[in-house]
Amino acid sequence: MDVAWEEAGWERLTRRTGRKRLPVWDCTVGLVVGDDSVLIVDPGSSVREGALLRAEAERLTGRHVTHIAFTHGHFDHVLGGAAFAGAEVYGAVGLDAELSAGREELRTDAVRQGLAPADAAEAADLLVVPRHLVSGEWTLDLGGVQALLANVSPGHTRHDLAVLVPGERETVFCGDLVEESGEPQAGPDAVPAQWPAALDRLLALGGGDALYVPGHGAVVDAAFVRAQRATLAARFGVSGA
């Protein structure tokens, strides 16, 4: 089964989890496979890309994608959501209002970053907003495995969600709170003074032995997250250990 994943460009992390690094923006898509249900974490940057991801995920798992989790509201993490018709969509509380009000801003930002205007317009028109809003923690029973959705915001944005999946080694999908392939990006919607504390919450969630899956880049360990936390604290002038 791992060979099929590799041939499709997916990385198998544990028996229940995997991920794919997408081209252009090196954005990570996460996959959690239950006996009954499948969760996608961040469904890509366009409807076209989302449709390809859905087809791959369902071919690899033999199950329909039933759940989507948005780690935050940036275009490369949410604009593929419309390709997953019928899936239940989750996000941090407040993300629904932010996406609904910011549809045009998402389209503009996607085009500015290089997405084809027609693809950006289609995705913005069909934009899916989360129906299930996580204010603290929310457990999804996928059959044989439970995924814990945790609101760890604010930090990279005002609405950051992490996904913890237990297993032979716990997996934490971090969104852009953690980046490996470049410096963490602090845009106008970031809350820099709170970002180190958000990483503390991530580390408390996963512990010292977990796999931490960044929004961009290679999978890292707790030591990397701690080092990035220290770098961000120094960068933003945040005091404390």
Side-chain angles (χ1 to χ4, degrees), residues 125-200:
D125 286 345
L126 299 174
L127 180 66
V128 171
V129 301
R131 187 167 73 90
H132 306 287
L133 303 173
V134 183
S135 59
E137 296 181 348
W138 191 314
T139 300
L140 295 180
D141 187 348
L142 303 176
V145 63
Q146 292 185 328
L148 179 68
L149 312 183
N151 185 335
V152 293
S153 56
H156 176 66
T157 71
R158 292 181 293 273
H159 310 295
D160 292 315
L161 189 76
V163 180
L164 169 70
V165 185
E168 60 269 30
R169 190 171 181 190
E170 292 188 328
T171 305
V172 182
F173 294 98
C174 306
D176 288 2
L177 284 167
V178 179
E179 295 192 41
E180 184 276 336
S181 55
E183 290 295 316
Q185 299 299 302
D189 56 345
V191 186
Q194 296 298 319
W195 198 332
L199 293 185
D200 289 338

Side-chain angles (χ1 to χ4, degrees), residues 95-141:
L95 182 61
D96 56 336
E98 179 181 274
L99 290 177
S100 295
R103 189 184 303 261
E104 179 59 23
E105 185 178 345
L106 272 177
R107 184 196 65 77
T108 301
D109 189 41
V111 172
R112 185 187 306 119
Q113 297 296 330
L115 187 64
D119 287 342
E122 177 190 34
D125 286 345
L126 299 174
L127 180 66
V128 171
V129 301
R131 187 167 73 90
H132 306 287
L133 303 173
V134 183
S135 59
E137 296 181 348
W138 191 314
T139 300
L140 295 180
D141 187 348

